[in-house]
Amino acid sequence: MAISLEYSFILVILGVIAGIINTLAGGGSNLTLPALMVMGMPADVANATNRVAVWLQCASGMSGFRQHDKLDTQDIIPVLIPNLIGGLCGALAAAWLPTSWVKPLLLGTLLTMTVVMLVKPATFGPPAGTPVKKVADTPTAWFGLMLAGFYGGFVQAGVGFVLLAALCGTLHYDLVRGNALKLACTLAFTSLSLLVFIADDLVRWAPGLILAIGTMVGARIAVRFAISANPKLLKLFLFVMTLVGCLAAYLF
């Protein structure tokens, strides 16, 4: 499809903003999906095309966190196993349950995350010095990661908040390392879904890759910010993004 220079510029700028939001919190697709649909894409095509940018954004962000030694690579596989099991169950549920369930689940989940941040802020960032737990030694982590996977497989939007609750709340990762592992989980989810979308010929590569230029840059900016930012500022950003996500879920 033909894309004007002006629209390409808009996609890149929105991609940068979405890449920052997705890397530090979640919900960046609230910007990029409407932008793609404005081009005339049906919702399913826009959703599929958006995954190209999400995939490359996650790869870029993970690379940045790893360069700063903030990605715990030895924990990726144990974290991904329950997460992907839940994701498969969620995807199957999405195939069988009516789409009318999506909006209430999305709004209810984001409202819950907002309340948790207010009532129990340590869920999204334990006190400094708190030892990290291993998935194998923490049964509640299995449940939390599987639940996050189910939500991601069923809804996808806002899954970053749920993943952070599981990673920081049950395994006691700080927000920086939690965000790094969150990107690994999202990359795994997106890889599976993108293969399906490609097989169904739903991906429009030109706008997807243009958008990805912005999301990759945004992810790198977010990594640098996360490494140097005060943890309280990261929590505040996360809280604000959940409120924005709630508003977007309610309106759309």
Side-chain angles (χ1 to χ4, degrees):
M1 60 190 305
I3 308 173
S4 68
L5 183 61
E6 293 82 1
Y7 202 82
S8 297
F9 178 75
I10 292 172
L11 282 180
V12 171
I13 296 301
L14 288 177
V16 172
I17 298 171
I20 293 172
I21 293 172
N22 283 333
T23 303
L24 295 177
S29 292
N30 291 329
L31 291 174
T32 56
L33 281 174
L36 292 171
M37 287 189 283
V38 165
M39 297 178 65
M41 292 185 192
D44 57 344
V45 175
N47 182 39
T49 302
N50 187 60
R51 302 301 176 96
V52 176
V54 171
W55 195 95
L56 288 169
Q57 162 219 293
C58 289
S60 176
M62 283 178 61
S63 174
F65 279 121
R66 188 170 185 179
Q67 287 176 5
H68 289 89
D69 197 28
K70 297 296 183 180
L71 177 62
D72 294 319
T73 54
Q74 73 275 11
D75 292 339
I76 290 178
I77 298 301
V79 164
L80 285 182
I81 291 173
N83 202 239
L84 288 177
I85 291 173
L88 177 60
C89 294
L92 292 174
W96 288 96
L97 295 175
T99 55
S100 59
W101 286 35
V102 172
K103 184 173 180 177
L105 181 59
L106 172 60
L107 184 57
T109 299
L110 292 178
L111 285 172
T112 300
M113 294 296 102
T114 304
V115 171
V116 169
M117 286 185 200
L118 289 172
V119 176
K120 196 175 180 182
T123 301
F124 289 88
T130 303
V132 173
K133 297 181 179 181
K134 298 294 182 183
V135 176
D137 301 329
T138 316
T140 53
W142 258 84
F143 176 76
L145 289 166
M146 192 175 294
L147 187 63
F150 180 89
Y151 177 84
F154 189 83
V155 181
Q156 179 66 39
V159 68
F161 303 116
V162 187
L163 283 169
L164 284 176
L167 292 166
C168 301
T170 62
L171 296 177
H172 295 170
Y173 283 100
D174 59 57
L175 266 180
V176 175
R177 294 182 183 276
N179 270 314
L181 282 172
K182 177 198 74 181
L183 292 180
C185 292
T186 307
L187 184 68
F189 273 129
T190 306
S191 297
L192 295 177
S193 60
L194 193 53
L195 288 174
V196 174
F197 292 140
I198 292 172
D200 289 342
D201 194 29
L202 292 173
V203 176
R204 301 296 175 262
W205 289 102
L209 291 172
I210 291 171
L211 184 61
I213 293 171
T215 60
M216 288 189 291
V217 172
R220 286 299 181 131
I221 293 172
V223 168
R224 295 193 191 98
F225 175 77
I227 298 301
S228 59
N230 186 303
K232 291 183 179 179
L233 184 58
L234 289 178
K235 282 188 180 182
L236 177 61
F237 183 83
L238 185 63
F239 178 70
V240 170
M241 285 301 101
T242 58
L243 292 179
V244 172
C246 289
L247 181 61
Y250 176 76
L251 293 176
F252 303 105

